[in-house]
Short mmCIF file of all heavy atoms in Angstrom, two decimals:
data_model
loop_
_atom_site.label_atom_id
_atom_site.label_comp_id
_atom_site.label_asym_id
_atom_site.label_seq_id
_atom_site.Cartn_x
_atom_site.Cartn_y
_atom_site.Cartn_z
N LEU O 1 -50.54 -66.09 -31.92
CA LEU O 1 -49.95 -64.85 -31.43
C LEU O 1 -50.33 -63.63 -32.26
O LEU O 1 -50.61 -62.56 -31.72
CB LEU O 1 -48.43 -65.00 -31.38
CG LEU O 1 -47.61 -63.79 -30.91
CD1 LEU O 1 -48.07 -63.32 -29.54
CD2 LEU O 1 -46.13 -64.14 -30.90
N LEU O 2 -50.33 -63.78 -33.58
CA LEU O 2 -50.59 -62.64 -34.46
C LEU O 2 -51.92 -61.95 -34.16
O LEU O 2 -51.96 -60.72 -34.04
CB LEU O 2 -50.51 -63.07 -35.93
CG LEU O 2 -50.62 -61.95 -36.97
CD1 LEU O 2 -49.54 -60.91 -36.76
CD2 LEU O 2 -50.54 -62.53 -38.38
N PRO O 3 -53.05 -62.68 -34.03
CA PRO O 3 -54.31 -61.99 -33.72
C PRO O 3 -54.28 -61.23 -32.39
O PRO O 3 -54.87 -60.15 -32.28
CB PRO O 3 -55.33 -63.14 -33.66
CG PRO O 3 -54.73 -64.24 -34.46
CD PRO O 3 -53.25 -64.13 -34.24
N VAL O 4 -53.56 -61.76 -31.42
CA VAL O 4 -53.45 -61.08 -30.12
C VAL O 4 -52.78 -59.73 -30.28
O VAL O 4 -53.26 -58.71 -29.77
CB VAL O 4 -52.65 -61.96 -29.13
CG1 VAL O 4 -52.33 -61.17 -27.85
CG2 VAL O 4 -53.44 -63.21 -28.76
N LEU O 5 -51.68 -59.69 -31.03
CA LEU O 5 -50.94 -58.44 -31.20
C LEU O 5 -51.58 -57.52 -32.22
O LEU O 5 -51.35 -56.31 -32.19
CB LEU O 5 -49.50 -58.76 -31.57
CG LEU O 5 -48.70 -59.45 -30.45
CD1 LEU O 5 -47.30 -59.82 -30.93
CD2 LEU O 5 -48.62 -58.56 -29.22
N GLN O 6 -52.39 -58.06 -33.11
CA GLN O 6 -53.17 -57.20 -34.00
C GLN O 6 -54.25 -56.47 -33.21
O GLN O 6 -54.49 -55.28 -33.41
CB GLN O 6 -53.78 -58.02 -35.13
CG GLN O 6 -52.78 -58.45 -36.19
CD GLN O 6 -53.37 -59.38 -37.23
OE1 GLN O 6 -54.26 -60.18 -36.93
NE2 GLN O 6 -52.89 -59.29 -38.46
N ARG O 7 -54.91 -57.19 -32.30
CA ARG O 7 -55.95 -56.56 -31.48
C ARG O 7 -55.37 -55.48 -30.57
O ARG O 7 -56.02 -54.46 -30.31
CB ARG O 7 -56.69 -57.61 -30.65
CG ARG O 7 -57.64 -58.49 -31.44
CD ARG O 7 -58.57 -59.27 -30.53
NE ARG O 7 -57.86 -60.20 -29.68
CZ ARG O 7 -57.58 -61.46 -30.02
NH1 ARG O 7 -57.93 -61.93 -31.21
NH2 ARG O 7 -56.94 -62.26 -29.17
N SER O 8 -54.17 -55.69 -30.08
CA SER O 8 -53.56 -54.71 -29.18
C SER O 8 -52.97 -53.52 -29.94
O SER O 8 -52.55 -52.54 -29.32
CB SER O 8 -52.46 -55.38 -28.34
OG SER O 8 -51.36 -55.74 -29.16
N GLY O 9 -52.93 -53.62 -31.28
CA GLY O 9 -52.39 -52.53 -32.09
C GLY O 9 -50.90 -52.60 -32.30
O GLY O 9 -50.32 -51.71 -32.94
N HIS O 10 -50.23 -53.65 -31.82
CA HIS O 10 -48.79 -53.75 -31.99
C HIS O 10 -48.39 -54.17 -33.40
O HIS O 10 -47.29 -53.85 -33.84
CB HIS O 10 -48.21 -54.74 -30.97
CG HIS O 10 -48.18 -54.22 -29.58
ND1 HIS O 10 -49.23 -54.36 -28.70
CD2 HIS O 10 -47.21 -53.54 -28.91
CE1 HIS O 10 -48.91 -53.78 -27.55
NE2 HIS O 10 -47.70 -53.28 -27.65
N VAL O 11 -49.25 -54.89 -34.08
CA VAL O 11 -48.90 -55.43 -35.38
C VAL O 11 -49.92 -55.01 -36.44
O VAL O 11 -51.12 -55.21 -36.25
CB VAL O 11 -48.83 -56.97 -35.35
CG1 VAL O 11 -48.59 -57.54 -36.75
CG2 VAL O 11 -47.72 -57.43 -34.41
N VAL O 12 -49.43 -54.41 -37.52
CA VAL O 12 -50.27 -54.15 -38.68
C VAL O 12 -49.73 -54.90 -39.89
O VAL O 12 -50.38 -55.01 -40.92
CB VAL O 12 -50.36 -52.64 -38.99
CG1 VAL O 12 -51.09 -51.90 -37.89
CG2 VAL O 12 -48.97 -52.04 -39.20
N GLY O 13 -48.54 -55.42 -39.78
CA GLY O 13 -47.90 -56.20 -40.84
C GLY O 13 -46.58 -56.73 -40.33
O GLY O 13 -46.20 -56.48 -39.18
N LEU O 14 -45.87 -57.45 -41.16
CA LEU O 14 -44.57 -58.00 -40.77
C LEU O 14 -43.48 -57.38 -41.64
O LEU O 14 -43.74 -57.03 -42.79
CB LEU O 14 -44.58 -59.52 -40.96
CG LEU O 14 -45.53 -60.32 -40.09
CD1 LEU O 14 -45.36 -61.81 -40.35
CD2 LEU O 14 -45.34 -60.02 -38.61
N PRO O 15 -42.28 -57.24 -41.09
CA PRO O 15 -41.90 -57.60 -39.72
C PRO O 15 -42.36 -56.56 -38.71
O PRO O 15 -42.62 -55.41 -39.06
CB PRO O 15 -40.37 -57.64 -39.79
CG PRO O 15 -40.04 -56.60 -40.83
CD PRO O 15 -41.13 -56.71 -41.86
N THR O 16 -42.44 -56.99 -37.46
CA THR O 16 -42.67 -56.09 -36.33
C THR O 16 -41.67 -56.47 -35.25
O THR O 16 -41.43 -57.65 -35.00
CB THR O 16 -44.09 -56.22 -35.78
OG1 THR O 16 -45.03 -55.73 -36.74
CG2 THR O 16 -44.26 -55.42 -34.49
N SER O 17 -41.06 -55.46 -34.65
CA SER O 17 -40.11 -55.70 -33.57
C SER O 17 -40.53 -54.91 -32.33
O SER O 17 -40.87 -53.73 -32.43
CB SER O 17 -38.69 -55.28 -33.98
OG SER O 17 -38.25 -56.05 -35.09
N ILE O 18 -40.50 -55.58 -31.18
CA ILE O 18 -40.88 -54.96 -29.92
C ILE O 18 -39.71 -55.04 -28.96
O ILE O 18 -39.21 -56.13 -28.67
CB ILE O 18 -42.11 -55.65 -29.30
CG1 ILE O 18 -43.28 -55.69 -30.29
CG2 ILE O 18 -42.53 -54.94 -28.01
CD1 ILE O 18 -44.45 -56.55 -29.83
N LEU O 19 -39.26 -53.89 -28.49
CA LEU O 19 -38.24 -53.86 -27.45
C LEU O 19 -38.93 -54.02 -26.10
O LEU O 19 -39.89 -53.31 -25.79
CB LEU O 19 -37.47 -52.54 -27.50
CG LEU O 19 -36.33 -52.50 -28.54
CD1 LEU O 19 -36.01 -51.06 -28.91
CD2 LEU O 19 -35.10 -53.22 -28.01
N VAL O 20 -38.45 -54.98 -25.33
CA VAL O 20 -39.08 -55.34 -24.07
C VAL O 20 -38.05 -55.19 -22.95
O VAL O 20 -36.93 -55.70 -23.05
CB VAL O 20 -39.59 -56.80 -24.11
CG1 VAL O 20 -40.27 -57.19 -22.81
CG2 VAL O 20 -40.56 -56.98 -25.28
N GLY O 21 -38.44 -54.49 -21.89
CA GLY O 21 -37.54 -54.29 -20.76
C GLY O 21 -37.46 -55.52 -19.87
O GLY O 21 -38.22 -56.48 -20.03
N PRO O 22 -36.56 -55.52 -18.88
CA PRO O 22 -36.38 -56.67 -18.01
C PRO O 22 -37.62 -57.06 -17.22
O PRO O 22 -37.75 -58.21 -16.78
CB PRO O 22 -35.26 -56.22 -17.06
CG PRO O 22 -34.50 -55.19 -17.84
CD PRO O 22 -35.54 -54.49 -18.65
N THR O 23 -38.58 -56.14 -17.06
CA THR O 23 -39.80 -56.47 -16.34
C THR O 23 -40.85 -57.10 -17.24
O THR O 23 -41.93 -57.47 -16.78
CB THR O 23 -40.42 -55.21 -15.69
OG1 THR O 23 -40.82 -54.30 -16.71
CG2 THR O 23 -39.43 -54.54 -14.75
N GLY O 24 -40.56 -57.19 -18.56
CA GLY O 24 -41.54 -57.74 -19.50
C GLY O 24 -42.46 -56.69 -20.09
O GLY O 24 -43.49 -57.02 -20.68
N CYS O 25 -42.10 -55.42 -19.96
CA CYS O 25 -42.94 -54.33 -20.46
C CYS O 25 -42.36 -53.73 -21.74
O CYS O 25 -41.14 -53.75 -21.97
CB CYS O 25 -43.07 -53.24 -19.40
SG CYS O 25 -43.87 -53.81 -17.88
N GLU O 26 -43.23 -53.18 -22.57
CA GLU O 26 -42.83 -52.57 -23.83
C GLU O 26 -42.08 -51.27 -23.59
O GLU O 26 -42.55 -50.38 -22.89
CB GLU O 26 -44.06 -52.28 -24.68
CG GLU O 26 -43.79 -51.53 -25.97
CD GLU O 26 -45.05 -50.94 -26.57
OE1 GLU O 26 -46.14 -51.53 -26.39
OE2 GLU O 26 -44.95 -49.88 -27.22
N ILE O 27 -40.88 -51.17 -24.22
CA ILE O 27 -40.14 -49.91 -24.15
C ILE O 27 -39.87 -49.34 -25.54
O ILE O 27 -39.26 -48.28 -25.67
CB ILE O 27 -38.81 -50.09 -23.38
CG1 ILE O 27 -37.94 -51.18 -24.00
CG2 ILE O 27 -39.08 -50.39 -21.90
CD1 ILE O 27 -36.55 -51.31 -23.35
N GLY O 28 -40.36 -50.02 -26.56
CA GLY O 28 -40.24 -49.52 -27.92
C GLY O 28 -40.87 -50.50 -28.89
O GLY O 28 -40.93 -51.70 -28.62
N VAL O 29 -41.35 -49.99 -30.02
CA VAL O 29 -41.93 -50.86 -31.04
C VAL O 29 -41.64 -50.29 -32.42
O VAL O 29 -41.68 -49.07 -32.62
CB VAL O 29 -43.45 -51.06 -30.82
CG1 VAL O 29 -44.20 -49.74 -30.92
CG2 VAL O 29 -44.02 -52.09 -31.79
N LEU O 30 -41.32 -51.18 -33.34
CA LEU O 30 -41.09 -50.78 -34.72
C LEU O 30 -41.96 -51.63 -35.63
O LEU O 30 -41.83 -52.86 -35.66
CB LEU O 30 -39.62 -50.97 -35.11
CG LEU O 30 -39.29 -50.73 -36.58
CD1 LEU O 30 -39.63 -49.30 -37.00
CD2 LEU O 30 -37.82 -51.01 -36.86
N LYS O 31 -42.85 -50.98 -36.36
CA LYS O 31 -43.72 -51.68 -37.31
C LYS O 31 -43.11 -51.55 -38.69
O LYS O 31 -43.37 -50.62 -39.42
CB LYS O 31 -45.12 -51.07 -37.25
CG LYS O 31 -45.77 -51.18 -35.87
CD LYS O 31 -47.09 -50.43 -35.78
CE LYS O 31 -47.67 -50.51 -34.38
NZ LYS O 31 -48.95 -49.77 -34.25
N GLY O 32 -42.26 -52.52 -39.02
CA GLY O 32 -41.55 -52.49 -40.29
C GLY O 32 -40.12 -52.95 -40.07
O GLY O 32 -39.71 -53.26 -38.95
N PRO O 33 -39.34 -53.00 -41.15
CA PRO O 33 -37.96 -53.49 -41.05
C PRO O 33 -37.00 -52.39 -40.59
O PRO O 33 -37.32 -51.20 -40.62
CB PRO O 33 -37.66 -53.91 -42.48
CG PRO O 33 -38.47 -52.97 -43.32
CD PRO O 33 -39.74 -52.72 -42.54
N ALA O 34 -35.82 -52.83 -40.18
CA ALA O 34 -34.76 -51.88 -39.82
C ALA O 34 -33.42 -52.56 -40.04
O ALA O 34 -33.33 -53.79 -40.11
CB ALA O 34 -34.89 -51.44 -38.36
N GLU O 35 -32.38 -51.76 -40.11
CA GLU O 35 -31.02 -52.28 -40.18
C GLU O 35 -30.51 -52.44 -38.74
O GLU O 35 -29.89 -51.54 -38.17
CB GLU O 35 -30.13 -51.33 -40.99
CG GLU O 35 -28.69 -51.78 -41.12
CD GLU O 35 -28.55 -53.24 -41.49
OE1 GLU O 35 -28.87 -53.60 -42.65
OE2 GLU O 35 -28.10 -54.01 -40.63
#
């Protein structure tokens, strides 16, 4: 999985969090930690 998301630009390091809507589409992304 990691190489796939690195190629798409979603991941440059960990952690990474992706908010996904009910249709399976990206509605937000955070590259890094959060509270």
Side-chain angles (χ1 to χ4, degrees):
L1 179 56
L2 186 58
V4 171
L5 293 176
Q6 285 174 328
R7 286 194 296 271
S8 69
H10 286 88
V11 175
V12 293
L14 296 183
T16 293
S17 298
I18 305 171
L19 278 157
V20 181
T23 64
C25 298
E26 175 196 329
I27 57 175
V29 62
L30 174 60
K31 300 174 182 178
E35 180 46 71

